[in-house]
Each structure stands twice: as structure tokens, then as C-alpha cells.
Amino acid sequence: MEWLYESWSGEEPEFNQHSNTKGALEVLDWAYQTYKEDIVYACSFGVEGVVLIDLISRVNEEAKIVFLDTGLHFEETYQLIEKVKARYPKLKIKMKQPEESVEEQALSKGEALWEKDPGQCCNLRKIVPLHEELDGVSAWISGLRREQSPLRQKTNYLNRDNKFQSIKVCPLIHWTWKEVWRYVYEKDLPYNPLHDQGYPSIGCAVCTERVLSGSDSRAGRWASQEKTECGLHLDSASSR
């Protein structure tokens, strides 16, 4: 039943968005039955990430998870990853690093590339590494939610990903911010304490700022730049 990117018609199975997990658990169960070892979860370890990890562990406790370790993340993020590893010891969590360290990048591209050319910095430290991880992989999982931003409102459970030539599985598309946090509290999940300090979306420390109450959840990402996405989720065609 494995779906290949090139031959996929764009039709998806029926998932019950009114279930207890708004279809998320059903989507994950289908995805792991369909792709088995040929699927990876690219996790940023934001609050949606810990929710997805918990859901994934209920379906496949040995699932493969990759974290794009840019070398520029908050210390709180690295501490959270260690807590997650301890809670879910069977998960295969990989810390994927770019070819160049931050120091090497400074020598080859100049200091603070994220300020001069954030698009290039994201490409080198996130997009290229993820390309390497997804090379030959049929599907990958993302924690995108429709509520997060206008660019994400048309995301479906299953999406043809032109950038990475794979199928992008998005189980949380119908979840609201309140529902994400309700699940965290009910399951007593560990999460990044920066969320309690005005950071709804957490990326690299050099490109993430606090967000004013009532603002777009991604307003703190590249706040001084004409940029709202790192590029991982651009150029994807929806399934419908």
C-alpha cells in the first residue's frame, strides 16, 4: 500500500477530524502502517512537538525523530530534548547538524549570517540538513496547524511536498492552541519553559523574540526581517 511521491493522485483516506485527537492518532496509525520504517518526524521540540511525540509513541515507540540542531538553539530547547529522551527511551532521536559549525560558517560566510542573509542561514543550517535526512524517505511528519498562520491554513493531513519530494504528514492541522496545551497538561508532558515567557513559537535563539499577547503566534520569528518561515514548509502542494 506504500504511496510513492511520483504516482500519488492526491486523494487521501478518510480520517475522523472529530475524534478525541481530531484525527491525529488515526493519521499517525495509518502513516506508520503505510510507510513503516520509511517515515521520519522532523521535530522542533516546540509544544506541538511534544504533543506529537507523545501521540507517536502510542503508535510506534521506536519511531525515528530528527532534530535540526543548528547550533543556535536556546539552552532550554536542548534541556527539553534530554527530558524527552528520558521519558521515551525507545524513540530514535537524532541530532542532525549542518556541515559547518557556527564558527566555521562565520569564517566562510561572515559573522552573524542570520542578520545579513537569514534565508541563506536557514538554508544552510536547516533546509540542506533536512534534505539529507529525507533523501530516499517516502514521508515525513510535521506539527503544522492551520491556526498558526495564513500560510498554513490550507495544510491537509497529507500533502505533496515538492521541496523534499516526499509526502508530508500533518496530524495536528485541526488542533487549536488551547487544545494543544490542554493535552500537555492532561498528560503532564515536559515542555520548553520559554513558552511561559512569551515565546509561542521557538526557533533559533538569534532569530526568536517574545510575542505580544494577541499577536500572530509566529510574530516573534525573524521579527525584524521580511520573513515568517525558515523555508521548510514552503513550496508544498496540498493534497486537495
Side-chain angles (χ1 to χ4, degrees), residues 52-109:
L52 261 180
I53 284 175
D54 189 75
L55 291 169
I56 287 171
S57 72
R58 294 165 60 181
V59 174
N60 181 0
E61 61 181 7
E62 297 183 356
K64 292 182 288 187
I65 296 173
V66 61
F67 173 68
L68 301 177
D69 184 7
T70 63
L72 295 167
H73 289 284
F74 290 96
E75 181 58 31
E76 289 88 343
T77 301
Y78 293 110
Q79 293 171 357
L80 172 62
I81 293 172
E82 293 308 310
K83 292 179 181 179
V84 170
K85 287 180 179 179
R87 179 158 177 157
Y88 307 95
K90 292 186 178 181
L91 289 178
K92 300 172 183 176
I93 300 177
K94 179 177 181 179
M95 307 288 280
K96 175 64 175 178
Q97 298 175 337
E99 181 178 348
E100 292 185 325
S101 67
V102 176
E103 293 74 22
E104 290 169 338
Q105 179 175 286
L107 290 174
S108 65
K109 307 295 189 303

Side-chain angles (χ1 to χ4, degrees), residues 21-165:
T21 61
K22 289 197 163 183
L25 203 57
E26 293 86 345
V27 171
L28 288 169
D29 184 62
W30 176 89
Y32 280 102
Q33 286 192 44
T34 301
Y35 297 109
K36 297 180 173 57
E37 295 298 313
D38 199 25
I39 184 169
V40 174
Y41 173 31
C43 182
S44 65
F45 285 87
V47 66
E48 290 94 348
V50 296
V51 168
L52 261 180
I53 284 175
D54 189 75
L55 291 169
I56 287 171
S57 72
R58 294 165 60 181
V59 174
N60 181 0
E61 61 181 7
E62 297 183 356
K64 292 182 288 187
I65 296 173
V66 61
F67 173 68
L68 301 177
D69 184 7
T70 63
L72 295 167
H73 289 284
F74 290 96
E75 181 58 31
E76 289 88 343
T77 301
Y78 293 110
Q79 293 171 357
L80 172 62
I81 293 172
E82 293 308 310
K83 292 179 181 179
V84 170
K85 287 180 179 179
R87 179 158 177 157
Y88 307 95
K90 292 186 178 181
L91 289 178
K92 300 172 183 176
I93 300 177
K94 179 177 181 179
M95 307 288 280
K96 175 64 175 178
Q97 298 175 337
E99 181 178 348
E100 292 185 325
S101 67
V102 176
E103 293 74 22
E104 290 169 338
Q105 179 175 286
L107 290 174
S108 65
K109 307 295 189 303
E111 293 284 345
L113 182 62
W114 50 87
E115 294 179 357
K116 296 179 294 184
D117 191 344
Q120 184 184 17
C121 190
C122 285
N123 183 64
L124 293 172
R125 309 204 72 75
K126 298 182 75 174
I127 296 174
V128 171
L130 188 57
H131 265 296
E132 294 171 353
E133 285 300 300
L134 298 183
D135 184 29
V137 174
S138 295
W140 67 293
I141 299 170
S142 171
L144 296 185
R145 295 183 298 109
R146 290 182 176 179
E147 184 188 60
Q148 287 172 325
S149 72
L151 285 175
R152 301 181 177 189
Q153 288 176 0
K154 294 184 179 180
T155 305
N156 294 308
Y157 287 126
L158 306 176
N159 307 268
R160 185 188 297 275
D161 193 325
N162 297 322
K163 180 183 290 292
F164 296 104
Q165 293 290 292

